[in-house]
Amino acid sequence: MEPVLDIMARAPLFNGLSRDQLEALHAIGTVHMAEKGQTIFEEGEAADGFYVLLFGKIKVYKSSMDGKEHILHILGPGEPFGEVPVFIGANFPATAVATTPSKLLFFPRKRFIDLISQNPSIALGMIGLLCLRLKEFTHQIENLALKDVAARLASYLLALLRDQRTSSNRSIRLTISKSQLAGVLGTVPETLSRVFSRLSSAGYIRVQGPEITVLNPEGLQEVVTSGKWG
Amino acid sequence: MEPVLDIMARAPLFNGLSRDQLEALHAIGTVHMAEKGQTIFEEGEAADGFYVLLFGKIKVYKSSMDGKEHILHILGPGEPFGEVPVFIGANFPATAVATTPSKLLFFPRKRFIDLISQNPSIALGMIGLLCLRLKEFTHQIENLALKDVAARLASYLLALLRDQRTSSNRSIRLTISKSQLAGVLGTVPETLSRVFSRLSSAGYIRVQGPEITVLNPEGLQEVVTSGKWG
DNA sequence: ACAGCGCCTTGACCTGAATCAAGAAAGCAA
DNA sequence: TTGCTTTCTTGATTCAGGTCAAGGCGCTGT
């Protein structure tokens, strides 16, 4: 298993920190394990610290009483979560569940705030992270409020294509199940499935299980911006 | 007109700063005026700083090409905006327009980052602000993704009631037009109007222009949580 | 007072997407 | 392989809410 410090060093939050600073951080954190399906924290629970994911995959979501859930984030190694209530002294605003066996680093609230108060570079890292989250959320709100499901999916696929651009090819692999993707896009599996087949038969993409080939990126972009296609 | 420093002192972002620190901040900012309807910045524009509203009212929104707009924030005096791109070196993710004549303080990016690097208390204030925004956005996403318009309106009214609780009475006043409210709630004026009258005839509220009397807060809470009502 | 203009309301209609209900694939265990 | 479970797809139906269109109400300024 890769050393904890190396994973931390790669996390954007801790970008540009010296080895000494990382050691100091590591010293105030405690390692936790979570098995698949385990709840890390639940919406409304009191928060006395936050987590950094070292290994595994976490989904953070909101759910309504009638069982529907909307996924806010799917997190991979190096990403922090549950940081919001640390700074406003409130409860967790959402629920976090491990979707694979995971390893977490937990930072207690008070000690982390002390550290940050003396360490402007960590503070700036935290600010950068929060701004990134805000931008993502802005995008999510925009999608939910003004775009239809096809546009949301197209936007998601183009983002994936941008991120996992393995040199030249236009094939991407979904890192989450289609049901989960439906949750991320604010819809249900049935609808997502239909949209996939509409985009397929329109010739924009080809779908083979979790393998998506983008045949016509410009077309997808059209779907995102104008919502019309053909 | 109230001195700029006093307004800044009241802003949560600058909470707990000494007079000296406020002076330093003020020194790096420049005052701008905006008339009603004037655009402060537009989505996609390069951002080289952010603003604090001193006086007036600002709406920050996303719009789609077919003219629909979704309002992300309506800001009052003391509130900062456009701070996200300062820290991730990107363009403004949304558009800001003055809805009344307004007075703004503009902080150039570089000088503000310098200041924050040496001033952990400003950094913490900024972190707190960003976390608050994230929490609001989380709530907004939850509303858009899993609640119907009636629940969103009920939630909004209850929040207003909590905020402007003028001692004992249950009457609140909308600070924005109903069309704007529709934009905030992610719907259109027609639908909002219908929901208002449904809630009225169900006996939960009474509406007289911008004056809303909440007759049955528990009932409204029911609408928010279960989405069902009588 | 009256005209003119925003803003709000109401009605009729339409459509995107959720729901309900079966199946079909695809994993996985024994 | 054979079941068994989980995930995905497809079809039929329903419904919330958006769109289009037509007034109504309450402003302001003249």
Side-chain angles (χ1 to χ4, degrees):
Chain A
M1 171 89 47
E2 192 181 2
V4 169
L5 278 178
D6 287 353
I7 305 178
M8 288 175 65
R10 271 210 318 280
L13 171 57
F14 302 135
N15 224 328
L17 297 191
S18 70
R19 203 73 189 177
D20 279 0
Q21 289 173 310
L22 282 179
E23 296 274 8
L25 264 168
H26 184 215
I28 70 169
T30 55
V31 173
H32 293 236
M33 304 303 284
E35 45 196 278
K36 176 173 171 159
Q38 189 177 327
T39 300
I40 315 298
F41 55 76
E42 221 149 343
E43 174 173 358
E45 221 172 80
D48 52 351
F50 76 104
Y51 298 84
V52 172
L53 180 57
L54 296 175
F55 174 84
K57 201 185 289 190
I58 303 283
K59 77 171 169 185
V60 179
Y61 64 95
K62 280 268 187 185
S63 55
S64 58
M65 33 281 104
D66 57 335
K68 268 178 61 177
E69 71 180 46
H70 179 81
I71 297 174
L72 296 170
H73 304 285
I74 300 236
L75 302 163
E79 297 196 74
F81 61 101
E83 66 288 341
V84 165
V86 166
F87 296 102
I88 53 179
N91 302 336
F92 290 112
T95 303
V97 172
T99 61
T100 71
S102 298
K103 191 171 168 186
L104 313 160
L105 196 54
F106 175 78
F107 293 104
R109 175 195 157 83
K110 198 182 159 340
R111 303 190 67 178
F112 186 73
I113 291 189
D114 288 348
L115 198 74
I116 235 182
S117 306
Q118 293 149 8
N119 245 307
S121 49
I122 303 184
L124 278 175
M126 182 55 86
I127 290 177
L129 168 80
L130 294 170
C131 285
L132 219 53
R133 289 271 153 83
L134 272 172
K135 202 182 136 212
E136 282 168 21
F137 274 7
T138 304
H139 190 225
Q140 234 182 91
I141 291 174
E142 175 184 19
N143 281 343
L144 288 172
L146 343 139
K147 293 206 188 1
D148 63 18
V149 175
R152 305 211 283 269
L153 174 57
S155 161
Y156 182 90
L157 292 177
L158 289 173
L160 257 193
L161 193 63
R162 234 173 289 123
D163 292 350
Q164 35 175 271
R165 190 172 263 322
T166 48
S167 68
S168 56
N169 81 32
R170 303 195 143 164
S171 184
I172 52 187
R173 164 169 285 273
L174 297 180
T175 55
I176 54 177
S177 75
K178 290 182 183 173
S179 303
Q180 280 185 104
L181 179 55
V184 170
L185 299 179
T187 184
V188 293
E190 294 95 315
T191 299
L192 180 62
S193 181
R194 284 180 238 276
V195 174
F196 262 124
S197 55
R198 275 203 295 151
L199 286 176
S200 288
S201 56
Y204 290 125
I205 58 175
R206 191 173 21 156
V207 184
Q208 292 138 340
E211 205 76 53
I212 317 283
T213 310
V214 176
L215 305 171
N216 182 355
E218 297 77 21
L220 280 187
Q221 189 53 52
E222 256 317 284
V223 174
V224 174
T225 50
S226 76
K228 310 261 170 267
W229 87 91
Chain B
M1 171 85 50
E2 191 181 1
V4 168
L5 278 178
D6 288 353
I7 304 178
M8 288 175 65
R10 272 209 319 278
L13 172 56
F14 302 135
N15 225 327
L17 296 191
S18 69
R19 204 71 189 178
D20 278 2
Q21 289 174 309
L22 283 178
E23 296 274 9
L25 264 167
H26 184 211
I28 68 169
T30 55
V31 174
H32 293 236
M33 305 301 285
E35 45 196 276
K36 177 174 169 158
Q38 189 177 328
T39 300
I40 315 298
F41 55 75
E42 221 149 343
E43 175 173 357
E45 221 172 79
D48 52 352
F50 77 104
Y51 298 84
V52 171
L53 180 57
L54 296 175
F55 173 85
K57 202 184 289 189
I58 303 284
K59 77 171 171 186
V60 179
Y61 65 94
K62 280 267 187 185
S63 56
S64 57
M65 34 283 107
D66 57 337
K68 267 179 62 177
E69 72 180 46
H70 179 81
I71 297 174
L72 296 170
H73 305 286
I74 300 235
L75 302 163
E79 297 196 74
F81 61 102
E83 67 287 342
V84 166
V86 166
F87 296 102
I88 52 180
N91 301 337
F92 291 112
T95 302
V97 173
T99 61
T100 70
S102 299
K103 192 172 167 185
L104 314 159
L105 196 54
F106 175 78
F107 293 103
R109 176 196 157 84
K110 198 182 161 341
R111 303 190 67 179
F112 186 73
I113 289 189
D114 288 347
L115 198 73
I116 234 181
S117 305
Q118 292 149 9
N119 244 307
S121 49
I122 303 183
L124 278 175
M126 182 55 86
I127 290 175
L129 168 81
L130 294 170
C131 284
L132 218 53
R133 290 271 155 83
L134 272 171
K135 201 182 136 211
E136 283 167 22
F137 275 8
T138 304
H139 190 226
Q140 234 182 92
I141 291 174
E142 174 184 21
N143 281 343
L144 287 171
L146 4 119
K147 291 205 192 352
D148 62 19
V149 175
R152 306 210 283 269
L153 175 58
S155 160
Y156 183 90
L157 292 177
L158 289 172
L160 257 193
L161 193 62
R162 232 174 291 124
D163 292 349
Q164 36 176 270
R165 190 172 263 322
T166 49
S167 68
S168 56
N169 81 33
R170 304 195 142 165
S171 183
I172 53 187
R173 165 169 284 273
L174 297 179
T175 55
I176 53 177
S177 75
K178 290 182 183 174
S179 303
Q180 281 184 109
L181 178 55
V184 171
L185 299 178
T187 184
V188 293
E190 294 95 316
T191 298
L192 180 63
S193 181
R194 285 180 236 276
V195 173
F196 261 125
S197 55
R198 275 203 295 151
L199 286 175
S200 288
S201 57
Y204 291 125
I205 58 175
R206 192 169 23 150
V207 184
Q208 292 138 341
E211 204 76 52
I212 317 283
T213 310
V214 176
L215 305 170
N216 182 354
E218 297 76 20
L220 280 187
Q221 189 54 52
E222 252 322 281
V223 174
V224 174
T225 50
S226 77
K228 309 265 171 263
W229 85 92

